[in-house]
Amino acid sequence: MNERRRVFRNRYWITALLGMGLLVVLLYVQSQSVDGGLSSARSRAERYQDLLAETSDLDEQTAVTYLQEKLAVAQTQLPDQADTELTVQLCQQLISQYEHLLNYPDELQEIQEQALHLSSISIFNRSGSFSQRNIERTARDFGRLSGLKLQIGPDLAVTSLFSSQLADYAVLLLLLILVNMILQERKRGLWTLIHAAPGGRGRLAWQRVGLLGAGSLQAVLLLHGSKAAMSWYLYQDWGDLGRSLQSVETFKYIPLRLSLGSALVWLLIYKCLAAFLVALCLWVLAAAVNNLQLGLGLAAIVLTAEYAGYTLIRDHSVLVWLRYLNLFAYIAPQRLFTTYLNIPFLGQALPGAWMTVGALPLLLLAVLAAAVLIQARKYPIARQNPLLRWQDRLRARLDRHLAWRSAMGYELHKILVVHQGWMILLALLYLELAQAGVPIAADSSLGAYEQAYQTQYAGVLDQRKLQQIAAEIEALESNLPASDQSDPSLSLQYQEQYLQLAALQTVQAGARSTLAACQRQQVTPYLFNQAVYQALLSTDSSSYRSKAALRLILAALLLLSPVLAYENEMKMQRLNRSTARGRGFLWRRKLLASGLILLLLWLISLGSEIYRVTGYYGPLPFLQAPLQCVPEYEAATLNCPIGVFLAGIWLLRLLGLVVSGCLLLLLSGYTSKRETALVANTVLWLLPPAVAMLLNSAELSYVSFLPALTVLPLLLRYPWVYAVLALAGLAALALNWRHDGRCC
Amino acid sequence: MKQPAVDQAATPVLEVADLTKHYGDRMALDHISVTFSPGLTGLLGPNGAGKSTLMNLIADNVKRECGTITYGGQDILTLGRAFRQQLGYMSQEQGLYEQFSAREFLQYMANLKCLPRASARSQIEQLLQTFHLQRDAHRKLGGFSGGMRQRVLLCQALLGSPRVLLLDEPSAGLDPQERLNLRSYLANLARRRVVLLSTHIASDVESIASQIVLINQGRLVTEGSPAHLMQTAGAASLEQAYLYLVGAQQP
Ligand SMILES: Nc1ncnc2c1ncn2[C@@H]1O[C@H](COP(=O)(O)OP(=O)(O)OP(=O)(O)O)[C@@H](O)[C@H]1O
Ligand SMILES: [Mg+2]
């Protein structure tokens, strides 16, 4: 009974593990870099270490002064210089690190003083009251830290690991997958068989527990380990791991004398045990019910309730202990050790985090016992669950009415319901609306004044308008006060007006060159606020667009990979083909349904972009203006309004999406299982662009659909690629049709 | 033995001539020629004889190499959809959508068979009743037992009362009661239809078949009524005749 091999060598598990690991590392690198690439993350880390090395020999106060000077210099420089932004960011980070070292002893002192002070006030010093105990406890806990020696170090290398909880939630997802996989055998009807085997009960139960433990260990070590390894690679040096934990500001609320290194090790151990506990809980929940779907549903409900408790309960609520004895305190324990909060417990004030940590072994034992008991005692065929019976009756009633669909309806039903595509659509919608940003031109040379002047003079651009601008420039110049270095207020005013003048001159120069470009093309010139079109049409913001493209590819891949593979997996080809409409008609309907889904994806992406962009920039101005009015396109020979050009870009994106859909379907038709199709398509179409994004390599991204869906640089450089793509799509369709016709 | 009466005039005959099929260098069918007239034809033969291959050729699920298959005098490939409109097919492998409920699945097939909704609805309920599936009709097929799946697939083949029925081992996995039920249902049905039923169990078709076609290793061994076969072999039952004719037993 090779359970372990069955689970851990399962393609699904391995794919999920590696995929999740890749995603976590990818997003970690993105969070650590300016443009999302690995090399820029690396150079950022190097800059950080350099800055640290420059200051580490100074005493703290001098270091702060030194950094503040550096910061001031950086801030006066032009913002479009590539690394100014970076310098500002890193200086601020280091300043706050040094300031923490300077202030922490005072903070500790303050806690003690406050305790003394408050206990002298009558309403607080009623002995036995919670507030009294709370104050005492806090003072006692942090009293342990007095005289602690703090030391500067590359904190960012460590704190960056805690800036996102994605890895924690990814572990949870993996645990859900694991539990689901272990339960699969029930679905396959193997349970009865195993149950009947000698030693099938008790031993199996322990084996299960072992599996859950090994699985959670794998998940935690892989996800957190790979993230830590990436941090190590980026920062090269984590500094002195023997320095005290509180040297890092993130951990200043932990009242324990620990070195940073040992604290990290303890944290890892905690995460492993906590993941094991969560896995056991999920398993017990799912196994307690005889029905797989119902069990997972129950687990989902419990998780939601726990999550609500974890996030919604406030500090002063009497229910606050529910936050600390909570599954999510074990899943994503960040909040536990970045805050310090005492809660009433048996008449004492107990730090909430102690409660969580202290309860861990007890809970582990309890859940372990429950898991083993359930597995050993539970019979495969028990009395029917009342919930299930109710569901059964409801389904019987609904079935008669809901099951009628058109051929198209059935195909959509397969994609959206059977393969659970609705979840993917929802996830995409969420990503698009909540997580995707707004395009901002990378050079962002347009200052606020320029934009204001452009808006002021918006409209058809003619000589009269140019004259108006020239007149205002003259007026500004004559009003310019003499710059008086001795009077600071006057000097400020001078700077202000000088900036206005410079901005207007920039606008004037831009307007002149637009006018010239439009005259060359014999189109009507317009002047308007350029910010939004710079963002939308500039080739610089292609990283924003390629992220949107990646989301589209991911969604299309998840939705379309199973379409044809499903027929093969269910061995339905012969039956379908023997019916009147089972050949050309059915194939066309499948294609149409897939096309509809792609259209929907495209509309979601388009709609949310319009929503985000107009929400940020306001309605798009002068869509009828010719393309040449956008500086980057002055030399363009194409005569078309901006609006049409934008629409064209979006239509080309649709073309790219449809072609990629055709190829996804082609591969899907050749595979005999949905999972295989998914894995194959992922390897072929998703891995290259993901790695390309990670390495920030343009060459690699050309091995994918990313440039075609990103449209802009590709369209300007090699427009013929779209003709090739259209042909490739048709070829894929023809191949698919032939394969479908050959069949069996 | 009583033979069911067959109304031969109403339904055209299905004719197979000189049919040959190779899988690689393995010959699955070797120049088979038979005429299937209305009534139930029992297709007998040992494992690997080529029964399923013959049915798949008639359903045009595998590519034909040489030979002709005609229905009412016209080749079925020329008839194409018009022929498939008349066809009910049940394959040997139990392929069905596990995530559909039984009723949903039948409705899906009715849709593909181009049946009008109203008549499909009543037919489906009737078939579900005949094969004792009504109580489970709303449940997902993934949770069905082997015999239950088999019955769902039977219902699917019978939908739209096709005039040509190809049933590849329909009785596999059925309990004795259901087997009897199927037998009497088919005996009734076969009066005006061409029904091809493949099986290893001679007793399944002994009493209801008007014609037996016996193939072995891709070759036609003999054809004729059950009585004729028993007479040729000098056997007391069809099963013995079968065993004798495929060379597994002396008379
Ligand atoms: N897809 C295939 N690929 C290769 N050979 C095949 C294939 N299908 C059938 N065969 C071969 O063709 C021959 C006839 O197979 P067929 O399935 O028609 O037999 P059968 O009479 O239906 O047998 P059974 O009673 O076991 O169902 C066998 O020798 C088999 O090995
Ligand atoms: Mg067969």
Side-chain angles (χ1 to χ4, degrees):
Chain A
M1 200 158 36
N2 241 324
E3 274 256 285
R4 191 152 14 107
R5 192 176 305 167
R6 192 169 63 76
V7 173
F8 292 137
R9 296 234 180 124
N10 187 316
R11 234 180 337 194
Y12 198 48
W13 171 250
I14 294 176
T15 317
L17 207 60
L18 294 183
M20 236 45 114
L22 192 69
L23 188 73
V24 164
V25 171
L26 199 79
L27 290 179
Y28 173 68
V29 170
Q30 270 207 347
S31 74
Q32 294 306 300
S33 83
V34 183
D35 66 357
L38 184 62
S39 58
S40 103
R42 189 62 215 284
S43 63
R44 176 172 175 268
E46 270 167 18
R47 279 292 297 282
Y48 175 70
Q49 297 284 24
D50 288 348
L51 272 176
L52 186 66
E54 279 172 39
T55 54
S56 57
D57 292 336
L58 310 173
D59 74 82
E60 283 133 23
Q61 195 57 60
T62 331
V64 170
T65 325
Y66 174 82
L67 286 165
Q68 267 164 349
E69 273 164 19
K70 219 175 167 75
L71 183 65
V73 171
Q75 272 166 340
T76 55
Q77 272 163 358
L78 282 178
D80 58 308
Q81 285 203 332
D83 61 4
T84 318
E85 174 76 25
L86 189 61
T87 312
V88 170
Q89 209 187 66
L90 294 178
C91 281
Q92 280 167 345
Q93 160 73 26
L94 275 173
I95 289 173
S96 87
Q97 269 180 244
Y98 278 110
E99 279 176 347
H100 166 64
L101 298 193
L102 283 171
N103 298 338
Y104 194 60
D106 294 342
E107 277 178 45
L108 289 180
Q109 187 63 37
E110 208 169 299
I111 290 174
Q112 303 301 332
E113 279 167 11
Q114 221 171 11
L116 271 178
H117 172 67
L118 288 181
S119 54
S120 66
I121 301 174
S122 61
I123 51 164
F124 285 106
N125 69 4
R126 248 183 290 130
S127 70
S129 76
F130 171 66
S131 31
Q132 169 71 14
R133 286 178 194 280
N134 181 16
I135 293 160
E136 282 170 2
R137 175 88 201 203
T138 311
R140 185 146 44 89
D141 277 351
F142 284 94
R144 267 186 240 134
L145 296 182
S146 63
L148 191 71
K149 208 173 133 18
L150 302 183
Q151 192 185 333
I152 195 76
D155 293 358
L156 208 52
V158 177
T159 52
S160 63
L161 292 175
F162 297 96
S163 61
S164 147
Q165 297 189 329
L166 184 83
D168 293 323
Y169 290 110
V171 168
L172 174 64
L173 202 64
L174 282 173
L175 294 181
L176 277 169
I177 290 176
L178 181 68
V179 169
N180 185 20
M181 259 175 16
I182 296 178
L183 284 172
Q184 279 299 326
E185 72 171 26
R186 215 186 260 192
K187 217 174 180 177
R188 297 198 198 128
L190 269 168
W191 198 17
T192 36
L193 219 137
I194 294 169
H195 204 265
R201 300 182 194 182
R203 210 177 57 207
L204 190 68
W206 284 108
Q207 246 175 11
R208 284 291 144 75
V209 169
L211 265 181
L212 289 169
S216 26
L217 203 66
Q218 277 183 18
V220 170
L221 289 185
L222 187 94
L223 294 191
H224 292 289
S226 56
K227 211 169 142 183
M230 188 40 95
S231 154
W232 188 269
Y233 168 73
L234 290 179
Y235 290 92
Q236 301 283 330
D237 179 18
W238 280 9
D240 179 11
L241 286 175
R243 64 198 170 113
S244 57
L245 177 62
Q246 288 77 7
S247 305
V248 181
E249 191 175 1
T250 313
F251 303 121
K252 70 177 178 180
Y253 291 118
I254 303 181
L256 289 177
R257 272 184 180 260
L258 272 178
S259 72
L260 179 62
S262 57
L264 288 178
V265 172
W266 278 117
L267 187 63
L268 190 65
I269 293 174
Y270 174 79
K271 286 205 169 181
C272 289
L273 287 177
F276 185 35
L277 175 69
V278 173
L280 281 173
C281 284
L282 290 176
W283 160 254
V284 165
L285 274 177
V289 190
N290 256 334
N291 179 288
L292 180 67
Q293 273 178 350
L294 209 64
L296 286 177
L298 195 63
I301 291 173
V302 170
L303 282 179
T304 317
E306 290 279 276
Y307 187 71
Y310 190 57
T311 49
L312 297 182
I313 294 176
R314 274 174 300 162
D315 286 357
H316 298 294
S317 162
V318 283
L319 290 177
V320 70
W321 57 273
L322 272 181
R323 186 207 283 172
Y324 287 95
L325 288 182
N326 188 305
L327 268 183
F328 281 88
Y330 297 106
I331 292 166
Q334 200 93 329
R335 257 199 14 208
L336 291 181
F337 49 79
T338 49
T339 52
Y340 178 88
L341 182 72
N342 282 319
I343 54 180
F345 177 74
L346 298 179
Q348 299 289 321
L350 190 70
W354 277 198
M355 197 163 180
T356 311
V357 177
L360 180 59
L362 297 180
L363 283 176
L364 257 179
L365 278 181
V367 182
L368 203 61
V372 172
L373 271 182
I374 283 184
Q375 176 69 41
R377 283 290 166 82
K378 190 120 185 145
Y379 282 82
I381 302 148
R383 225 170 344 106
Q384 212 190 17
N385 196 308
L387 245 144
L388 275 182
R389 213 180 312 142
W390 182 80
Q391 183 198 16
D392 204 51
R393 227 175 279 159
L394 185 74
R395 205 189 282 156
R397 181 117 355 131
L398 287 179
D399 191 50
R400 275 164 216 271
H401 307 288
L402 288 185
W404 285 104
R405 295 179 204 108
S406 64
M408 185 74 174
Y410 280 110
E411 294 315 315
L412 286 174
H413 173 80
K414 286 181 201 166
I415 297 176
L416 293 177
V417 181
V418 175
H419 310 144
Q420 288 162 354
W422 62 273
M423 292 208 281
I424 294 156
L425 285 183
L426 275 188
L428 179 70
L429 206 60
Y430 168 75
L431 282 180
E432 288 289 340
L433 289 180
Q435 297 291 307
V438 176
I440 291 169
D443 63 352
S444 70
S445 57
L446 267 187
Y449 284 129
E450 274 101 330
Q451 292 190 35
Y453 281 123
Q454 279 172 351
T455 314
Q456 185 187 331
Y457 289 103
V460 176
L461 184 63
D462 47 18
Q463 288 302 335
R464 213 176 41 115
K465 200 152 263 175
L466 276 182
Q467 280 160 10
Q468 285 172 359
I469 295 176
E472 184 162 354
I473 286 182
E474 238 169 71
L476 274 176
E477 273 172 346
S478 60
N479 277 346
L480 209 61
S483 88
D484 189 348
Q485 298 295 338
S486 58
D487 182 352
S489 76
L490 214 59
S491 141
L492 259 183
Q493 195 190 352
Y494 171 81
Q495 254 182 16
E496 192 84 5
Q497 294 204 6
Y498 185 79
L499 284 176
Q500 281 181 9
L501 179 63
L504 193 54
Q505 277 166 343
T506 316
V507 170
Q508 185 187 37
R512 279 198 186 126
S513 92
T514 301
L515 194 64
C518 286
Q519 271 166 357
R520 245 177 288 136
Q521 287 294 316
Q522 296 175 332
V523 285
T524 328
Y526 282 84
L527 182 66
F528 46 79
N529 187 343
Q530 292 284 349
V532 59
Y533 290 130
Q534 276 199 3
L536 281 178
L537 293 175
S538 140
T539 42
D540 281 343
S541 53
S542 61
S543 116
Y544 156 82
R545 276 192 301 270
S546 56
K547 273 180 207 158
L550 196 62
R551 286 194 295 271
L552 269 181
I553 293 181
L554 182 66
L557 190 143
L558 292 175
L559 282 163
L560 296 197
S561 289
V563 169
L564 294 175
Y566 181 58
E567 307 295 332
N568 299 335
E569 187 176 339
M570 294 292 138
K571 302 200 178 76
M572 274 296 290
Q573 291 286 33
R574 290 190 174 177
L575 218 54
N576 280 337
R577 282 169 54 86
S578 73
T579 61
R581 309 209 283 188
R583 302 196 172 183
F585 178 84
L586 185 63
W587 185 76
R588 285 193 299 274
R589 283 309 122 119
K590 277 190 199 308
L591 238 57
L592 220 58
S594 309
L596 259 183
I597 294 285
L598 289 178
L599 192 67
L600 190 63
L601 293 183
W602 181 75
L603 283 176
I604 288 178
S605 183
L606 172 65
S608 72
E609 173 154 333
I610 290 177
Y611 170 77
R612 290 192 317 258
V613 168
T614 53
Y616 185 79
Y617 291 103
L620 303 186
F622 297 100
L623 282 166
Q624 76 276 24
L627 188 58
Q628 283 77 11
C629 296
V630 181
E632 210 174 323
Y633 292 85
E634 269 173 4
T637 49
L638 187 70
N639 260 351
C640 87
I642 295 176
V644 173
F645 190 67
L646 277 174
I649 287 178
W650 271 100
L651 285 177
L652 285 178
R653 180 171 278 190
L654 180 62
L655 174 68
L657 192 63
V658 167
V659 172
S660 67
C662 291
L663 288 169
L664 289 172
L665 284 180
L666 180 64
L667 200 58
S668 173
Y670 282 118
T671 44
S672 58
K673 272 194 158 173
R674 281 172 288 174
E675 284 166 23
T676 320
L678 209 61
V679 171
N681 271 327
T682 305
V683 169
L684 217 54
W685 303 120
L686 197 63
L687 225 50
V691 175
M693 267 197 159
L694 180 68
L695 299 178
N696 215 9
S697 125
E699 292 76 31
L700 202 56
S701 76
Y702 279 99
V703 202
S704 71
F705 280 103
L706 211 54
L709 289 179
T710 309
V711 179
L712 252 188
L714 186 69
L715 177 64
L716 298 180
R717 257 178 257 165
Y718 317 107
W720 48 267
V721 167
Y722 283 95
V724 176
L725 272 180
L727 286 180
L730 287 179
L733 277 191
L735 269 178
N736 197 319
W737 168 244
R738 239 192 63 186
H739 178 72
D740 188 74
R742 203 178 311 139
C743 174
C744 326
Chain B
M1 200 172 293
K2 182 179 130 276
Q3 291 291 328
V6 172
D7 178 356
Q8 304 231 345
T11 306
V13 294
L14 182 71
E15 223 176 327
V16 162
D18 205 26
L19 210 54
T20 304
K21 173 76 193 172
H22 288 86
Y23 289 109
D25 56 0
R26 186 184 194 111
M27 191 175 251
L29 280 184
D30 186 4
H31 301 281
I32 294 242
S33 304
V34 208
T35 305
F36 302 106
S37 27
L40 192 139
T41 304
L43 199 54
L44 289 180
N47 289 139
K51 307 181 291 294
S52 300
T53 306
L54 179 59
M55 292 207 176
N56 273 320
L57 278 166
I58 297 174
D60 189 28
N61 272 334
V62 293
K63 202 162 168 341
R64 196 194 305 171
E65 282 162 15
C66 76
T68 55
I69 304 172
T70 57
Y71 180 66
Q74 274 183 293
D75 197 292
I76 58 159
L77 293 186
T78 330
L79 286 171
R81 187 170 161 160
F83 175 66
R84 272 179 279 132
Q85 198 103 48
Q86 309 278 327
L87 182 72
Y89 172 70
M90 171 183 176
S91 68
Q92 188 173 4
E93 57 196 7
Q94 294 191 330
L96 33 69
Y97 296 124
E98 301 198 339
Q99 290 80 0
F100 280 33
S101 74
R103 187 177 278 114
E104 199 175 18
F105 179 70
L106 291 178
Q107 283 161 351
Y108 171 81
M109 293 307 292
N111 188 302
L112 284 188
K113 289 183 172 203
C114 243
L115 302 184
R117 224 171 241 207
S119 83
R121 194 184 286 259
S122 62
Q123 269 188 52
I124 287 172
E125 295 309 318
Q126 214 162 8
L127 282 169
L128 285 172
Q129 193 158 24
T130 310
F131 291 98
H132 309 119
L133 285 165
Q134 249 181 344
R135 258 191 41 213
D136 298 305
H138 64 279
R139 285 181 38 215
K140 296 262 152 79
L141 290 172
F144 272 33
S145 75
M148 285 159 81
R149 286 171 185 229
Q150 196 77 349
R151 282 183 273 149
V152 173
L153 286 170
L154 250 173
C155 292
Q156 156 295 121
L158 294 168
L159 262 180
S161 25
R163 311 188 84 177
V164 178
L165 253 178
L166 308 175
L167 305 176
D168 205 343
E169 305 198 12
S171 54
L174 295 190
D175 60 35
Q177 201 181 339
E178 288 297 339
R179 188 173 290 212
L180 260 175
N181 180 28
L182 172 69
R183 208 182 293 172
S184 69
Y185 186 84
L186 286 182
N188 226 331
L189 192 80
R191 280 168 212 277
R192 303 162 148 266
R193 294 177 174 81
V194 177
V195 180
L196 238 78
L197 188 153
S198 85
T199 180
H200 311 274
I201 303 164
S203 62
D204 266 355
V205 287
E206 185 170 0
S207 58
I208 55 169
S210 55
Q211 183 190 18
I212 299 287
V213 170
L214 186 62
I215 52 178
N216 192 11
Q217 295 182 341
R219 275 189 224 101
L220 181 68
V221 177
T222 181
E223 62 161 318
S225 67
H228 171 77
L229 254 68
M230 285 189 278
Q231 205 176 12
T232 327
S237 72
L238 189 59
E239 183 164 347
Q240 277 177 1
Y242 162 79
L243 287 174
Y244 170 67
L245 287 168
V246 297
Q249 203 178 47
Q250 298 302 313

